[in-house]
Amino acid sequence: MRRYLSSLPVLGTIIAVVRSSFRRKLTTALLVVFLIISIGTVGLYVQVGGLLEDNVEQSMTAAAETEADELREWCGKNRLVAQLLSEHPVFEDGDRTEVREYLQAQQGDRSDTEIVRAYVIDRRNQTVSVSSDGEMGTTHRRTRLD
């Protein structure tokens, strides 16, 4: 194999020049080692980069799914509280004072869910007819929803 490489015109000349000096042999050996290490480093960099990208994508997907599950649970809980509040018999009479008192009582009594404000909305007119907010209730006017 060595004789075959030496028989090639350009490569034969390079091999002869390198063999003629110890310094050239050492330089060539160091260049070959540096080239092998560089190729290995680039390969490792590409492989680790791909693994890291996959890991970050999986992590972000898991975090987004967890957040979506928590949001779904929160929406379901709020929907259930709204349904429970709206099924109370006080709404059948339609007395605004009683409804307001009931909403204000529920606002303070709920330990499992924090109710900031509660409203009764007239869907036909798109207005708030009763609110647990004291200021809104004392004006006795309906507020248009836009």
Side-chain angles (χ1 to χ4, degrees), residues 73-125:
E73 182 180 330
W74 179 80
C75 286
K77 189 176 181 181
N78 285 342
R79 211 174 266 123
L80 181 63
V81 168
Q83 182 180 357
L84 289 173
L85 287 176
S86 66
E87 290 175 351
H88 195 273
V90 75
F91 294 106
E92 292 174 8
D93 298 337
D95 183 13
R96 290 184 183 176
T97 307
E98 288 180 16
V99 171
R100 184 175 303 106
E101 289 171 0
Y102 169 71
L103 292 176
Q104 288 173 342
Q106 290 301 311
Q107 192 174 353
D109 290 346
R110 293 276 172 185
S111 61
D112 57 338
T113 305
E114 181 182 355
I115 300 175
V116 178
R117 288 190 182 88
Y119 303 95
V120 175
I121 299 175
D122 183 355
R123 294 170 85 182
R124 287 176 298 222
N125 300 329

Side-chain angles (χ1 to χ4, degrees), residues 7-130:
S7 66
L8 295 173
V10 176
L11 198 55
T13 308
I14 293 173
I15 290 174
V17 170
V18 169
R19 280 188 179 168
S20 67
S21 167
F22 176 75
R23 189 178 293 166
R24 290 183 190 139
K25 287 180 188 176
L26 180 63
T27 304
T28 304
L30 289 175
L31 285 175
V32 168
V33 168
F34 177 73
L35 182 65
I36 292 171
I37 290 173
S38 298
I39 290 171
T41 303
V42 168
L44 186 62
Y45 176 78
V46 168
Q47 188 176 18
V48 168
L51 289 173
L52 184 62
E53 185 176 319
D54 290 344
N55 190 9
V56 167
E57 182 180 344
Q58 289 174 356
S59 174
M60 295 299 285
T61 301
E65 287 174 356
T66 301
E67 194 72 25
D69 289 342
E70 288 176 6
L71 189 59
R72 248 184 251 109
E73 182 180 330
W74 179 80
C75 286
K77 189 176 181 181
N78 285 342
R79 211 174 266 123
L80 181 63
V81 168
Q83 182 180 357
L84 289 173
L85 287 176
S86 66
E87 290 175 351
H88 195 273
V90 75
F91 294 106
E92 292 174 8
D93 298 337
D95 183 13
R96 290 184 183 176
T97 307
E98 288 180 16
V99 171
R100 184 175 303 106
E101 289 171 0
Y102 169 71
L103 292 176
Q104 288 173 342
Q106 290 301 311
Q107 192 174 353
D109 290 346
R110 293 276 172 185
S111 61
D112 57 338
T113 305
E114 181 182 355
I115 300 175
V116 178
R117 288 190 182 88
Y119 303 95
V120 175
I121 299 175
D122 183 355
R123 294 170 85 182
R124 287 176 298 222
N125 300 329
Q126 294 290 311
T127 58
V128 175
S129 59
V130 180

